Amino acid sequence: MEKINERRLLFSLTFDELVKFLDSHGAKKFVAKQIFEWIYHKFVFDHTQWTNVSDKVKGLLSENFDLTIPKVVWDGLSEDGTRKFLIGFRDGRTVEAVMIPARNNRKTLCLSSQVGCAIGCTFCHTGTMGLTRHLEAGEIVGQFLSVTKFLKDKVGPEERLSNIVYMGQGEPLHNFDETKKSAIIFTDEKALGLSQRRVTLSTSGLVPQIKKLEDFPPINIAISLHAAHNEIRTELMPINKAYDLDRLLSAIKEIPLKAHRYITYEYLLIDKYNDRKEDVEALSKLLPKKVSKINLIPFNEYPESSFKRPSVSRINWFRYELEKNGYTCTVRTTKGSDILAACGQLKSEMEKKINLWEIGQ
Ligand code: SF4
């Protein structure tokens, strides 16, 4: 078994942190700019190829940081163009990341913020695993870098990821500081420079952390609501016992929203469970129409799940009723169903097959 590299990942550093580090070793600010250009604009991660960076600085970086990006341990391509990746870190742990193609050549990466998850939502396969550990910012950013490299090497040099959603494994706000740092790196012009509108963080509703969201870059926020009644929400999401709908909605009101921006509410539609007339009525009382978008997610059944997916006519009816009540409402189409098991299921299956230490670096 190889010794695990314990140095901090270079990709965990924001631009200001790299400047500070270099400054403390006598190097100038423009060197940080050159390094960020190699990594985040040219996607060249091998520092020996950074021709305009001095050997002294390269030595300094490799002495103090781990400069390796995570490994793509497995990838699967769906008929609809969705690609699923199992990404391996230096301690042998893995997470899932999914690239979802959309119109106008857009490509969204759904990435993970933790190995496993402590929230324990009853509909979620990851929730059954418990939390193994938080990801470092550089491991969150690293998923983006590894998938970008994969696409450029295997599909074509022009390939680019355009959008990010923090909707993979883990509760991003439970890993607040590292997730925040990754969001800074994703949206900073000097780093990946994604528009704030193209980055969406989805949370199960950790109220104390929602209150601290003003510290984040102003990215889009999605709330996993899934029910408009406390009893149902508590059954689906045990976190509702600690932070019920009243507390959640009051915290959401405090999120600083830029003009023309919405809060997206994700609502998992489960057959004969939360897809009834009274659910439409409760949702319509709960959510402010002007600043709410509702994204309906028909439940994706997996082998041991006790919930069922509603029929297409039921899904359309539910959407129609919400739209009639004045909401902007979308239905998430199932992508990559031929390769995509439910969130976390691929990881479980693959971990049975892969000797995880083989991927440690
Ligand atoms: S749905 Fe998200 S927050 Fe809930 S258990 Fe799964 S990964 Fe965690």
Side-chain angles (χ1 to χ4, degrees), residues 45 52 90 126 156 209 280:
F45 310 118
N52 57 358
R90 52 196 170 159
T126 303
Q209 283 82 347
V280 174

Side-chain angles (χ1 to χ4, degrees), residues 246-307:
D246 272 356
R247 292 185 69 185
L248 177 61
L249 269 293
S250 329
I252 292 169
K253 272 191 208 139
E254 305 303 317
I255 297 176
L257 269 188
K258 282 190 168 177
H260 311 299
R261 299 279 277 270
Y262 293 86
I263 298 288
T264 300
Y265 293 91
E266 290 155 5
Y267 193 94
L268 194 65
L269 262 186
I270 303 172
D271 189 40
K272 298 184 184 63
Y273 185 67
N274 63 355
D275 62 348
R276 307 156 305 166
K277 179 95 183 142
E278 63 223 72
D279 297 306
V280 174
E281 286 162 4
L283 269 176
S284 306
K285 277 194 197 131
L286 196 66
L287 304 183
K289 292 185 179 65
K290 269 191 187 162
V291 288
S292 305
K293 252 187 194 171
I294 303 172
N295 188 19
L296 300 174
I297 309 167
F299 183 68
N300 202 10
E301 290 172 31
Y302 58 88
E304 310 92 54
S305 68
S306 51
F307 297 124

Side-chain angles (χ1 to χ4, degrees), residues 76-84 99-101 107 336 338-339:
L77 175 63
S78 160
E79 281 174 2
D80 65 20
T82 301
R83 279 182 192 269
K84 190 155 190 170
M99 191 280 290
I100 305 147
K107 291 186 179 69
D338 50 335
I339 51 154

Side-chain angles (χ1 to χ4, degrees), residues 81-332:
T82 301
R83 279 182 192 269
K84 190 155 190 170
F85 300 92
L86 194 66
I87 306 276
F89 301 115
R90 52 196 170 159
D91 64 351
R93 301 290 177 191
T94 58
V95 295
E96 296 173 17
V98 183
M99 191 280 290
I100 305 147
R103 274 172 298 167
N104 303 326
N105 206 25
R106 279 188 292 127
K107 291 186 179 69
T108 298
L109 186 68
C110 174
L111 45 76
S112 297
S113 53
Q114 296 175 313
V115 181
C117 184
I119 302 295
C121 303
T122 53
F123 54 83
C124 169
H125 198 78
T126 303
T128 62
M129 300 173 190
L131 176 68
T132 303
R133 69 170 175 88
H134 295 306
L135 295 188
E136 250 188 73
E139 292 173 319
I140 302 174
V141 173
Q143 293 168 61
F144 186 100
L145 299 178
S146 296
V147 171
T148 299
K149 180 169 170 13
F150 177 97
L151 295 174
K152 284 184 179 297
D153 290 351
K154 302 262 162 70
V155 183
E158 300 308 317
E159 290 291 306
R160 279 195 90 86
L161 296 166
S162 56
N163 294 55
I164 287 174
V165 290
Y166 290 85
M167 287 186 192
Q169 289 165 277
E171 161 53 63
L173 294 186
H174 186 204
N175 186 13
F176 191 91
D177 292 335
E178 297 299 307
T179 300
K180 176 181 148 190
K181 212 184 270 186
S182 70
I184 293 170
I185 296 168
F186 284 133
T187 54
D188 180 359
E189 293 266 303
K190 294 180 282 311
L192 287 160
L194 295 176
S195 151
Q196 291 161 348
R197 284 176 169 274
R198 293 186 170 217
V199 181
T200 302
L201 181 146
S202 170
T203 175
S204 61
L206 282 180
V207 164
Q209 283 82 347
I210 288 175
K211 289 181 176 165
K212 292 192 326 190
L213 272 175
E214 59 187 2
D215 295 347
F216 257 68
I219 56 177
N220 299 320
I221 301 297
I223 307 288
S224 300
L225 191 70
H226 305 323
H229 298 97
N230 275 317
E231 315 79 70
I232 297 181
R233 192 163 191 271
T234 301
E235 274 180 21
L236 291 173
M237 308 178 74
I239 191 174
N240 196 66
K241 270 187 241 154
Y243 308 115
D244 68 9
L245 288 166
D246 272 356
R247 292 185 69 185
L248 177 61
L249 269 293
S250 329
I252 292 169
K253 272 191 208 139
E254 305 303 317
I255 297 176
L257 269 188
K258 282 190 168 177
H260 311 299
R261 299 279 277 270
Y262 293 86
I263 298 288
T264 300
Y265 293 91
E266 290 155 5
Y267 193 94
L268 194 65
L269 262 186
I270 303 172
D271 189 40
K272 298 184 184 63
Y273 185 67
N274 63 355
D275 62 348
R276 307 156 305 166
K277 179 95 183 142
E278 63 223 72
D279 297 306
V280 174
E281 286 162 4
L283 269 176
S284 306
K285 277 194 197 131
L286 196 66
L287 304 183
K289 292 185 179 65
K290 269 191 187 162
V291 288
S292 305
K293 252 187 194 171
I294 303 172
N295 188 19
L296 300 174
I297 309 167
F299 183 68
N300 202 10
E301 290 172 31
Y302 58 88
E304 310 92 54
S305 68
S306 51
F307 297 124
K308 296 276 165 254
R309 186 184 181 94
S311 66
V312 174
S313 60
R314 191 70 186 171
I315 297 166
N316 289 340
W317 170 82
F318 200 87
R319 175 185 185 163
Y320 172 77
E321 290 294 314
L322 285 172
E323 287 178 340
K324 212 168 68 182
N325 288 352
Y327 290 99
T328 304
C329 193
T330 50
V331 177
R332 189 185 294 172

